[in-house]
Amino acid sequence: MTSTRPADDGPPAQRPVRPVPERATRSGPWLRPPAHRVSPRAMAHWAIDYLMAWGLVIAVVWGAAAWAGSDAGWSGMPGWLADRLWWPPIAITALGLLVSAVAPVWRYRVHRWEISADVVYTRTGWFSREWLLVPVGRIQTVDTGQGPLERLLGLATLEINTASHAGSSLVAGLPVDLATRLAEQLAHRAHTLGDDAT
């Protein structure tokens, strides 16, 4: 019977330094939520996004129900189904309106961010939540982006990119001036830490 054990990387002084995990968990040292919320205007942005997506689904369902109930529609429809033809569109419309009203508020309560001297810490999600730690020293690029709705609402998204996809982060729903200022600060800090490491 043979046993296996982890390969020895050499004496402790010669072993490669393993990176600190970038994804935070509930059991990690960053259990507390990040310090800052996004802008309250982000709720309007998310609500419009949800309404647009659900609006398309609702339009298709109502159109299908109208076609099925018309003379040119499904002629072999059972009577019990014809009597309940409008129930699915009504239910889907109610669900879409409920999600569009509740989800933005829920997301606003969850989405938080914090930037310390050496880490960008974010928490995002709705049903599932993700904690993400991005070491400032690993940042390669920092950008701000704006979609049409964000521009209308005076919001921007801070895009933080590292060499690892898992370490990249987005902070959506920030006021434009704050996102721009944070991008400049993070770029300067990442450059400074990179110079110190060389």
Side-chain angles (χ1 to χ4, degrees):
M1 179 176 180
T2 59
S3 61
T4 59
R5 61 187 180 92
D8 190 359
D9 293 325
Q14 297 175 357
R15 291 179 188 162
V17 177
R18 290 178 171 80
V20 176
E22 293 176 338
R23 291 187 180 276
T25 64
R26 286 179 178 270
S27 60
W30 290 79
L31 178 61
R32 64 170 181 79
H36 308 291
R37 293 188 187 274
V38 298
S39 170
R41 293 192 302 262
M43 288 187 284
H45 181 206
W46 293 327
I48 294 170
D49 280 345
Y50 282 114
L51 284 171
M52 290 173 63
W54 277 99
L56 181 60
V57 173
I58 290 168
V60 169
V61 171
W62 278 92
W67 173 83
S70 68
D71 294 336
W74 184 19
S75 59
M77 185 185 309
W80 64 268
L81 182 57
D83 294 340
R84 297 168 178 82
L85 185 62
W86 299 105
W87 287 14
I90 291 171
I92 289 174
T93 300
L95 177 62
L97 293 176
L98 179 65
V99 169
S100 299
V102 172
V105 178
W106 195 335
R107 286 181 64 179
Y108 176 72
R109 292 172 60 88
V110 172
H111 282 229
R112 298 177 74 101
W113 63 275
E114 182 177 343
I115 297 175
S116 68
D118 55 356
V119 171
V120 178
Y121 176 34
T122 60
R123 185 182 71 180
T124 57
W126 179 22
F127 283 120
S128 60
R129 297 183 184 183
E130 180 181 66
W131 287 258
L132 185 62
L133 298 172
V134 177
V136 173
R138 296 186 186 177
I139 293 176
Q140 292 189 326
T141 61
V142 185
D143 300 303
T144 55
Q146 273 188 309
L149 281 177
E150 287 178 310
R151 193 159 40 248
L152 182 66
L153 295 168
L155 299 173
T157 297
L158 183 67
E159 304 173 12
I160 303 164
N161 299 299
T162 67
S164 166
H165 172 71
S168 300
S169 180
L170 294 177
V171 184
L174 296 176
V176 176
D177 56 344
L178 177 60
T180 303
R181 187 166 68 251
L182 289 175
E184 292 173 355
Q185 291 174 359
L186 280 173
H188 177 72
R189 198 177 301 171
H191 179 70
T192 301
L193 289 175
D195 287 346
D196 290 345
T198 56

